[in-house]
Amino acid sequence: MDEVDRIVAAWRHERPDLDVSPMEILSRVSRLARQLDLARKSSFSDYGIEGWAFDVLSALRRSGEPYQLSPSTLLQETLVTSGTMTNRIDRLVTAGWVERLPDPGDRRGVLVRLTAAGRATVDSALADLLVKEREILSDLTPAGRRKLASLLRQLSTGFDADES
């Protein structure tokens, strides 16, 4: 029995007229999200970055050689406004983790490229985060992880479609 079981049992006692079964899942997802947030903050602070910086740097890193994207593609990857992205790129340029380059396909456009320092930072932060994420999931078997991933994918598919 965990804390969520105790909360659900108390609600069932106090409000037997309500179906509180969603709490059995979503309260646990919320608690896991808090644990993941703490793991991310811990991993990223060791490398002097914040979550938003990791999101931008990792989008560039995942893009493959030459690790560059247009600001509009970065907007799609990180789901922020153009003003927010401009500010984030400015801050990452100042930190030396990205550089702005002219877009050869658009004389007015720019590309944002990951620097060697940015690549080293995001690679190290990712490796550290994955260790912490494995710890969070350590009570699950590989089959249990696959099943949970499948169920969460099924649940979140509608949300992903809404965001695009």
Side-chain angles (χ1 to χ4, degrees):
M1 178 174 265
D2 66 2
E3 185 63 21
V4 173
D5 287 328
R6 287 187 278 283
I7 291 168
V8 169
W11 277 120
R12 284 187 172 136
H13 180 267
E14 292 299 316
R15 292 295 310 268
D17 56 309
L18 295 177
D19 174 14
V20 295
S21 62
M23 294 175 119
E24 293 179 281
I25 297 167
L26 299 176
S27 291
R28 287 184 175 96
V29 168
S30 178
R31 288 167 183 260
L32 286 168
R34 281 195 298 271
Q35 291 302 311
L36 179 57
D37 187 49
L38 291 172
R40 287 173 59 97
K41 285 179 182 174
S42 171
S43 294
F44 301 160
S45 70
D46 290 345
Y47 301 95
I49 62 174
E50 296 179 48
W52 65 263
F54 179 82
D55 292 343
V56 175
L57 296 174
S58 63
L60 291 165
R61 181 65 170 96
R62 288 191 313 267
S63 72
E65 291 273 1
Y67 309 114
Q68 65 187 27
L69 296 170
S70 68
S72 61
T73 302
L74 284 170
L75 288 173
Q76 293 168 349
E77 290 280 324
T78 60
L79 302 173
V80 298
T81 65
S82 61
T84 298
M85 183 53 66
T86 298
N87 178 274
R88 289 179 176 184
I89 293 168
D90 289 345
R91 291 172 67 185
L92 293 171
V93 167
T94 300
W97 291 327
V98 302
E99 59 186 346
R100 283 188 175 95
L101 303 170
D103 184 343
D106 178 359
R107 290 189 314 198
R108 296 174 299 166
V110 298
L111 294 172
V112 179
R113 180 184 294 165
L114 193 61
T115 64
R119 181 176 172 185
T121 298
V122 72
D123 283 354
S124 296
L126 175 63
D128 190 63
L129 175 61
L130 289 171
V131 168
K132 289 178 173 68
E133 288 182 348
R134 279 187 207 88
E135 289 171 11
I136 290 171
L137 298 172
S138 64
D139 288 339
L140 295 176
T141 64
R145 290 180 191 191
R146 287 189 298 277
K147 180 66 174 172
L148 180 58
S150 176
L151 291 169
L152 290 171
R153 181 181 309 107
Q154 181 181 351
L155 184 61
S156 67
T157 299
F159 297 120
D160 290 344
D162 291 343
E163 291 177 355
S164 49

